[in-house]
Amino acid sequence: MFKETNLRNHSSLHKLFYSLDVSAYKQRNLGIISLPTDIKYRNWSKDLTKRRIENDSQLEQYIKYDNKYRLNKNTLAVYEFKQNPILGKYKAVAFDLNRGIVLSQKSTHAMMQGLMRHAVHCDMIWQRMLAREAGVDIYQGIVMYNVLYFSMHAFSGNFFTDWICLHWIKDFHVKRHDQAIFNSIALDENGLVYNFAFDSPKPNLTKIIGQYLFHNHYYSDLYYQHMLQENNLRVTAINSDSILHNSNYYVQLDLYAIDSFKKLADKFYNHVLNLHLLTIVKEFKPLDYLHREHRFFTKQIIKIRYNR
C-alpha cells in the first residue's frame, strides 16, 4: 500500500491510501544499481570514502569522473572534500544509484547550483520563499514534490557542505551528538541498504529534519491537489516507504495559511514583483527611470502570465 498524508487540516493527519499494481522496487524504476553491493561497501563516512577511493583497487569499476555532475533524484548522498581533495584534485564525491560513485573536481556547491538551474521547483527564489513562509532554515534543504535534499550544514554563499537525500532514507539517528547515521530504504528485493555517516551534526538536527519533513509534506500535498484539480493528473510519489512519508518524524510548523498551490504561486508572484522593485530602487536612483522600468517589467510579466 502507498500512504500519503493530507495536511490540509492542521489539527490532525488524514491518511489517503492508494493501491499499487507493481512492487515498490519496480515502481522506483531504478534500472541497474551501479554502486557496489558487497556487504563491506554498504557503510560509508567521509573518512571511509577518502580512504577507500585512494587505496582500494576493487572500487575502481564503480567510480565515474564527471565535473558536470549535479544532484538528481537518484543521488543518495554527497560528501564535500574541498578542504582536503581526494587524490589531490577531487572536491566532491556523490553516491548515485545509476551512475555509481561519482568524483568531481567541482564542489558540492556547484552540484547544487546545477540542480537549481535544471529543475523548476528548485529555483532559488522559490526555495527561499517557501522556506520563509514555512519558518524553516532557508539554507538547510531543497524541497521538490516528494523529493527532499538536506544539507548537513547551511549552503548559503560559498559555504560548502555534505548532502543527504531524504527521499531514499528510511530512518536516522544521532550518535553521542558527534555523528549522524542515515539508513536507506531497501533498494531491492534482497534488502540492499546503504548507511551514510556524517560527523559534527547540528545539536538540534533531529528537530530541523522533522520540520523539513513536515514542510515537504505540506508543499507536496498542495502540489498533488493542484495537479489533480487543474490537470486531472494523479501524481504518484516514489519511495513511499521513505522517511518523507513517516509522520512519526514530523515536527509540526505554523505553516502559511494557504489552501491551494495556485494561491501559493500567486503570493510568490507578488513577492517577486516587490523584490524586483527593491532591486531597481537600489540600483537606479532616478524616479522617472524607476517608473518606466516598473511599467515595462509589469507589462512583460502580464504577457507571459496570461499569454497575451
Side-chain angles (χ1 to χ4, degrees):
M1 296 294 289
F2 169 75
K3 182 179 77 171
E4 178 143 340
T5 307
N6 187 334
L7 299 180
R8 192 173 307 289
N9 181 351
H10 296 168
S11 63
S12 62
L13 299 176
H14 299 284
K15 298 179 181 178
L16 300 176
F17 292 89
Y18 301 90
S19 296
L20 294 179
D21 296 325
V22 294
S23 73
Y25 308 110
K26 289 180 181 176
Q27 188 206 10
R28 289 171 193 142
N29 193 26
L30 293 178
I32 298 173
I33 294 178
S34 298
L35 291 169
T37 57
D38 290 355
I39 292 178
K40 67 177 181 177
Y41 294 128
R42 297 188 188 182
N43 296 308
W44 295 90
S45 67
K46 184 171 284 192
D47 289 341
L48 271 176
T49 299
K50 192 174 194 311
R51 195 182 320 136
R52 285 171 174 170
I53 290 174
E54 292 184 336
N55 300 294
D56 189 343
S57 59
Q58 292 183 44
L59 271 186
E60 290 178 7
Q61 59 185 309
Y62 302 102
I63 293 175
K64 301 287 189 302
Y65 303 90
D66 185 356
N67 293 333
K68 295 182 179 180
Y69 182 84
R70 62 176 182 266
L71 271 68
N72 64 83
K73 70 177 184 179
N74 290 319
T75 308
L76 278 171
V78 184
Y79 288 113
E80 170 72 52
F81 291 95
K82 187 175 185 294
Q83 302 302 323
N84 186 19
I86 289 179
L87 299 172
K89 59 181 178 179
Y90 296 107
K91 299 176 183 176
V93 176
F95 291 82
D96 188 295
L97 288 167
N98 292 158
R99 299 287 308 281
I101 301 173
V102 183
L103 273 61
S104 175
Q105 293 183 47
K106 301 290 186 181
S107 65
T108 60
H109 184 76
M111 289 182 178
M112 180 270 291
Q113 291 295 336
L115 171 68
M116 292 289 185
R117 287 192 297 270
H118 288 86
V120 175
H121 289 275
C122 284
D123 177 84
M124 199 62 236
I125 292 177
W126 176 258
Q127 289 294 320
R128 284 173 181 167
M129 289 175 178
L130 276 176
R132 286 195 184 104
E133 289 294 316
V136 294
D137 189 316
I138 296 172
Y139 297 105
Q140 201 73 38
I142 298 174
V143 168
M144 296 175 69
Y145 174 72
N146 281 304
V147 173
L148 175 53
Y149 304 92
F150 187 81
S151 164
M152 295 306 295
H153 298 90
F155 60 93
S156 60
N158 294 318
F159 195 92
F160 303 91
T161 178
D162 303 323
W163 290 84
I164 185 70
C165 302
L166 294 177
H167 47 282
W168 292 112
I169 299 303
K170 180 77 173 179
D171 52 45
F172 75 97
H173 65 276
V174 179
K175 185 180 177 182
R176 299 191 308 275
H177 301 290
D178 60 0
Q179 190 179 62
I181 300 174
F182 294 81
N183 315 112
S184 79
I185 60 175
L187 296 167
D188 64 14
E189 285 89 343
N190 298 318
L192 174 63
V193 169
Y194 292 100
N195 307 303
F196 296 95
F198 298 88
D199 295 330
S200 305
K202 287 188 174 182
N204 56 345
L205 180 69
T206 301
K207 179 181 178 182
I208 295 173
I209 289 179
Q211 290 176 334
Y212 251 99
L213 291 172
F214 186 90
H215 171 37
N216 174 79
H217 205 110
Y218 186 93
Y219 165 78
S220 296
D221 181 63
L222 286 181
Y223 184 74
Y224 172 84
Q225 297 297 333
H226 173 77
M227 295 301 289
L228 190 61
Q229 294 167 13
E230 300 294 325
N231 304 302
N232 196 29
L233 180 64
R234 189 182 295 274
V235 185
T236 305
I238 59 170
N239 309 338
S240 58
D241 48 348
S242 78
I243 195 173
L244 265 63
H245 305 282
N246 187 343
S247 60
N248 292 325
Y249 285 95
Y250 296 172
V251 173
Q252 188 158 338
L253 296 161
D254 294 326
L255 285 168
Y256 31 80
I258 295 177
D259 61 4
S260 78
F261 196 81
K262 185 178 184 304
K263 287 182 181 177
L264 184 63
D266 285 344
K267 183 172 183 178
F268 287 172
Y269 165 78
N270 293 326
H271 277 303
V272 172
L273 270 178
N274 293 332
L275 181 65
H276 172 80
L277 288 175
L278 287 173
T279 304
I280 293 297
V281 169
K282 196 178 287 185
E283 295 294 326
F284 306 102
K285 301 297 182 185
L287 292 180
D288 58 337
Y289 185 91
L290 170 61
H291 181 67
R292 291 196 306 272
E293 178 69 7
H294 180 212
R295 284 185 61 191
F296 173 78
F297 175 80
T298 306
K299 242 192 214 177
Q300 295 302 312
I301 288 295
I302 289 172
K303 279 183 183 178
I304 293 170
R305 195 177 184 201
Y306 298 105
N307 296 315
R308 291 179 181 174

